[in-house]
C-alpha cells in the first residue's frame, strides 16, 4: 500500500500546539488488509478518522497507543495509529481518508527559534513514499513559516497569516519550520536560494566547550541527536546568526551551481535554508534545517574551542551534504532500509567532491578521519566497522555498537563511492591478476567524466523514484571499461559482494618485489598480500613505480585472496614499487 496524495490544513499556535486535518489517498496493493498502520508523533492525539464513500464520510475505528510517561518513547518516539476498515479494502482501489488530530508537537528553543520534530511525524504516514503534497498553514504574526514545496498563495491579516505550499513533483516527505527570521537571497542559475536566521541562538547554546572534535559525520536523518556539552569557562559573546545569513545563502547557491553541472539540474524550483536549534541538520525537499553552528564565523567557532574536524563539518561538509541530499534522498529515494546507504553515501561524497575542488587536503583529511572512525574500537574492544555492512542500515546501531549506523553508513559508504570513482579515474590498459601478465605503464588521468556520467544517469533515471543497491550496481557495470573487468566479466559482483555486503577493512603489503633492467625495458614484479580479510575478498589495488623524481601509475591489480602475483613493464629510473600511495582504497 502507498499514499499517493496529501492535502493538509494546519493551524500552528506557537510555542507548542498544532491542530490539523489531513486528507490522504491510500492506494491498495494486490493484497489489501482490513487494518492499516500509520505513524504519527506521540505528541499528537487523533480525534477522528473518516473514509470517503458514495454516501458521504464514514467514521472509522482506530487505535492509538498512549505515550509511556517518563520514557524515551514518550519524549522522542513516534506512535502507531491502527485504522480498522469495515471490510478489507479492494485490491488496486483508491481510498480517501481524513484524519483530525492536535497536540503540542512543537518546542520553543528560544532566540525566536522553533523545533517542529523529526521527519514525517507531524502528519500520518507509512514511511518515506513519493507523494504529492498540498499544505495550508495558518499562523500568527510575527512568525515566519517555511514549508516544502512551492508557495502558491499567501494572505496576511491583523491576526493571522495563511500560506499554501504545493509540491512541484512527488516527494518522499514534507515538513515545515517556524521562526522569527532575518533573510538573505542568492541565485544559482534559475534556482532562488533564501536563507533564514534569527538574531540569537537557542537558550541551550553553549558558551564554550573543551577543545575536542565531534565525529566528522553529518548526523543521520533518523532522530539521532549530538549534543555539545557546556564548559566551565567564561563564555564568548553570544553569536548573531543573522549576521552570517547572506554567507550561508551564497555558499548554498555556489554548491547548487557546482553540483548541478555534474549531477544534473537542481530537482526543485527553489531552496530555503533555516536555522535549527542543536548540532544536527536535516534536509527536506526544497528546504534544509541547518544547525546554529553553521550560521557562525570561523572566529566564533574558534572562540568556542571547536576542533578542526568540527569546524570543517559545520563550515563546509554539513551545508554541502544537506544540499546534495536534494538530489540524493529527496529527489531520488531508496527502496528499503538496505538501500538507504546509497542516498547517504552519494550525498556525503558529492559534498566531499565539492570540498576537494576547493581544497584537496580538506577532502583527504575527511577520508582519513572516516578511516579512523571505522577502525576505532568500542568499549568492548571491537572495531566499529565490524558492526556490519552498509546494507544493514539503521540495524547497524545496537547495544554493542551504539554508533554503528552513524559511523558505518556515512564513513564506509563515502569510502565505497571514493573507491568506485578512483577505479574509473585511473583504469590502466590491462588488468594483471595472478599470472605473469605484463601491462604497459600509464599516467594518471585527471578526468572524472565516467564517474559523473553514472551519477547524472542515476539522477535522471530515478528522479522522483526509488533506487536499490542492485540498480546502482547495474549503472556502474554499464560503463565498466574492459580493463576493469575481473576475470573478463562486465560485472561488479566482486565489489558489491565483498565490499558493499562486507565489513572488512584489509591490510595490504608488497612482497617478493623484483625490479630487473633489460635492454629495452624494466620489468617489475611482486606479490600483494591481502591480510585481515575474508578468503574470497577481491580488491582493485593501484600499483605505482617510484623514481627519484615522481610516482608513475603502472596499473591496477585485482588482489584476489591472500596472495596475488603481478608483473609490469616499468619506466626508466624505477627504484621501488608502492601500493596505493594516494590512499584510494579503504585499508588499514
Amino acid at each position: 500500500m502507498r499514499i499517493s496524495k496529501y492535502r493538509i490544513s494546519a493551524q500552528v499556535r506557537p510555542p507548542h500546539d498544532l491542530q490539523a486535518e489531513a486528507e490522504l489517498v491510500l492506494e491498495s496493493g494486490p493484497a489489501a488488509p482490513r487494518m492499516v498502520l500509520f505513524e504519527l508523533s506521540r505528541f499528537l492525539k487523533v480525534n477522528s478518522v473518516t473514509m470517503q464513500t458514495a454516501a458521504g464520510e464514514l467514521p472509522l475505528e482506530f487505535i492509538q497507543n498512549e505515550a509511556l510517561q517518563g520514557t524515551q518513547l514518550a519524549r522522542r518516539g513516534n506512535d502507531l495509529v491502527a485504522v480498522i476498515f469495515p471490510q478489507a479494502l479492494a485490491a488496486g482501489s483508491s481510498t480517501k481518508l481524513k484524519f483530525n488530530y492536535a497536540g503540542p508537537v512543537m518546542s520553543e528553543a528560544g532566540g525566536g527559534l522553533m523545533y517542529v520534530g523529526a521527519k514525517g511525524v507531524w502528519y500520518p504516514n507509512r514511511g518515506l513514499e513519493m507523494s504529492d503534497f498540498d499544505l495550508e498553514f495558518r499562523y500568527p504574526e510575527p512568525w515566519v513559516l517555511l514549508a516544502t514545496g512551492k508557495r502558491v498563495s499567501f494572505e496576511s491579516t491583523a491576526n493571522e497569516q495563511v500560506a499554501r505550499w504545493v509540491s512541484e513533483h512527488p516527494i518522499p516527505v514534507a515538513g515545515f519550520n517556524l521562526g522569527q527570521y532575518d533573510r538573505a537571497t542568492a541565485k544559482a542559475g534559475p534556482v532562488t536560494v533564501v536563507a533564514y536566521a534569527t538574531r540569537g541562538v537557542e537558550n541551550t547554546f553553549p558558551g564554550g566547550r573543551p577543545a575536542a572534535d565531534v565525529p566528522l559525520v553529518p548526523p543521520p536523518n533518523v532522530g539521532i541527536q549530538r549534543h555539545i556539552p557546556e564548559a566551565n569557562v567564561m563564555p564568548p559573546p553570544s553569536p548573531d546568526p543573522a549576521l552570517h545569513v547572506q554567507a550561508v545563502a551564497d555558499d548554498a547557491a555556489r554548491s547548487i551551481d557546482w553540483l548541478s553541472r555534474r549531477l544534473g539540474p537542481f530537482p526543485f524550483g527553489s531552496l530555503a535554508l533555516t536555522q535549527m536549534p542543536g548540532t544536527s541538520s536535516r534536509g527536506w525537499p526544497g528546504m534544509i534545517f541547518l544547525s546554529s553552528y553553521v550560521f557562525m564565523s570561523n572566529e566564533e567557532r574558534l572562540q568556542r574551542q571547536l576542533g578542526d574536524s568540527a569546524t570543517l563539518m559545520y563550515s563546509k561538509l554539513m551545508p554541502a551534504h544537506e544540499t546534495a541530499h536534494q538530489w540524493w534522498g529527496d529527489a531520488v529515494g531508496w527502496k528499503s532500509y538496505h538501500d538507504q546507504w546509497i542516498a547517504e553515501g552519494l550525498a556525503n561524497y558529492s559534498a566531499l567532491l565539492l570540498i576537494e575542488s576547493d581544497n584537496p587536503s580538506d577532502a583527504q583529511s575527511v577520508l582519513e578521519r572516516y578511516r579512523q572512525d571505522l577502525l576505532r574500537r568500542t568499549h568492548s574492544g571491537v572495531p566499529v566497522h565490524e558492526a556490519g555492512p552498509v546494507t544493514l542500515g539503521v540495524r547497524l546501531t545496537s547495544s554493542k555498537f551504539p554508533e554503528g549506523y552513524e559511523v558505518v553508513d556515512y564513513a564506509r559508504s563515502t569510502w565505497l563511492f571514493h573507491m568506485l570513482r578512483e577505479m574509473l579515474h585511473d583504469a590502466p590498459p590491462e588488468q594483471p591478476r595472478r599470472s605473469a601478465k605484463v601491462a604497459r605503464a600509464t599516467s594518471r588521468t585527471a578526468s572524472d567524466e565516467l564517474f559523473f556520467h553514472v551519477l547524472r544517469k542515476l539522477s535522471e533515471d530515478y528522479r522522483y523514484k526509488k533506487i536499490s543497491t542492485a540498480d546502482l550496481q547495474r549503472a556502474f557495470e554499464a560503463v565498466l571499461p574492459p580493463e576493469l573487468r575481473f576475470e573478463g566479466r562486465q560485472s561488479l559482483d566482486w565489489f558489491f559482494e565483498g565490499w558493499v555486503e562486507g565489513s572488512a577493512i584489509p591490510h595490504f603489503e608488497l612482497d617478493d618485489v623484483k625490479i630487473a633492467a633489460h635492454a629495452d625495458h624494466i620489468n617489475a614484479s611482486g606479490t600483494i598480500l591481502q591480510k585481515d580479510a575474508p578468503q574470497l575478498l577481491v580488491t582493485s589495488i593501484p600499483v605505482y613505480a617510484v623514481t627519484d623524481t615522481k610516482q608513475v601509475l603502472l596499473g591496477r591489480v585485482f588482489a584476489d585472496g591472500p596472495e596475488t602475483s603481478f608483473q609490469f613493464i616499468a619506466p626508466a629510473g624505477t627504484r621501488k614499487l608502492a601500493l596505493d600511495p594516494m590512499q584510494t582504497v579503504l585499508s588499514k
Side-chain angles (χ1 to χ4, degrees), residues 64-324:
Q64 183 177 22
N65 293 343
E66 295 294 332
L68 305 177
Q69 295 300 321
T71 67
Q72 279 282 4
L73 285 176
R75 292 191 294 272
R76 297 177 54 194
N78 295 347
D79 209 348
L80 290 179
V81 181
V83 177
I84 300 96
F85 296 91
Q87 57 190 25
L89 299 174
S93 64
S94 294
T95 304
K96 183 177 287 187
L97 301 180
K98 183 186 292 184
F99 288 75
N100 277 283
Y101 55 95
V105 73
M106 298 183 297
S107 298
E108 185 178 20
L113 281 173
M114 298 297 298
Y115 179 73
V116 178
K119 280 191 170 186
V121 302
W122 67 279
Y123 61 89
N125 69 90
R126 289 178 51 77
L128 297 178
E129 186 65 67
M130 293 294 182
S131 306
D132 294 311
F133 285 85
D134 187 335
L135 312 173
E136 182 182 82
F137 296 94
R138 297 176 179 272
Y139 55 99
E141 292 276 7
W143 296 93
V144 175
L145 187 141
L146 304 163
T148 47
K150 181 179 181 180
R151 194 173 77 171
V152 297
S153 65
F154 176 77
E155 297 178 5
S156 179
T157 65
N159 300 318
E160 188 176 59
Q161 302 176 84
V162 182
R164 184 179 170 215
W165 304 74
V166 179
S167 60
E168 302 170 84
H169 309 280
I171 55 178
V173 66
F176 71 97
N177 205 12
L178 200 67
Q180 296 176 358
Y181 302 117
D182 285 7
R183 56 176 282 171
T185 303
K187 292 286 287 186
V191 180
T192 300
V193 179
V194 187
Y196 298 83
T198 65
R199 287 287 174 184
V201 292
E202 55 269 26
N203 294 335
T204 57
F205 195 85
R209 59 162 299 183
D213 282 351
V214 297
L216 191 58
V217 178
N221 296 322
V222 292
I224 297 175
Q225 300 289 320
R226 184 180 293 110
H227 299 286
I228 296 179
E230 294 189 25
N232 296 319
V233 296
M234 182 67 69
S238 181
D240 185 347
L243 292 177
H244 309 294
V245 67
Q246 185 65 58
V248 172
D250 292 341
D251 286 346
R254 178 180 173 276
S255 296
I256 290 174
D257 183 64
W258 193 92
L259 292 169
S260 295
R261 294 199 303 270
R262 291 157 178 84
L263 306 180
F266 187 70
F268 309 103
S270 61
L271 179 65
L273 307 107
T274 75
Q275 183 186 348
M276 175 181 175
T279 58
S280 301
S281 293
R282 291 193 180 99
W284 308 67
M287 183 171 65
I288 297 174
F289 296 173
L290 289 174
S291 164
S292 293
Y293 282 89
V294 175
F295 292 84
M296 295 172 64
S297 66
N298 280 336
E299 181 182 359
E300 289 172 323
R301 298 186 188 102
L302 183 63
Q303 289 173 343
R304 283 154 183 81
Q305 301 180 51
L306 295 185
D308 291 340
S309 293
T311 298
L312 179 58
M313 182 176 76
Y314 290 123
S315 64
K316 296 181 179 180
L317 184 59
M318 182 179 281
H321 173 100
E322 296 300 346
T323 302

Side-chain angles (χ1 to χ4, degrees), residues 508-564:
F508 298 99
E509 293 179 8
L510 271 174
D511 190 31
D512 194 27
V513 174
K514 295 182 176 64
I515 300 174
H518 297 272
D520 57 348
H521 69 278
I522 293 179
N523 194 57
S525 63
T527 300
I528 295 177
L529 306 181
Q530 183 172 235
K531 302 180 178 180
D532 299 336
Q535 181 76 18
L536 299 180
L537 184 69
V538 178
T539 309
S540 176
I541 300 285
V543 179
Y544 282 72
V546 181
T547 70
D548 289 332
T549 58
K550 60 185 176 179
Q551 294 178 332
V552 179
L553 175 66
L554 298 177
R556 282 181 169 264
V557 176
F558 282 119
D560 181 9
E563 295 186 10
T564 304

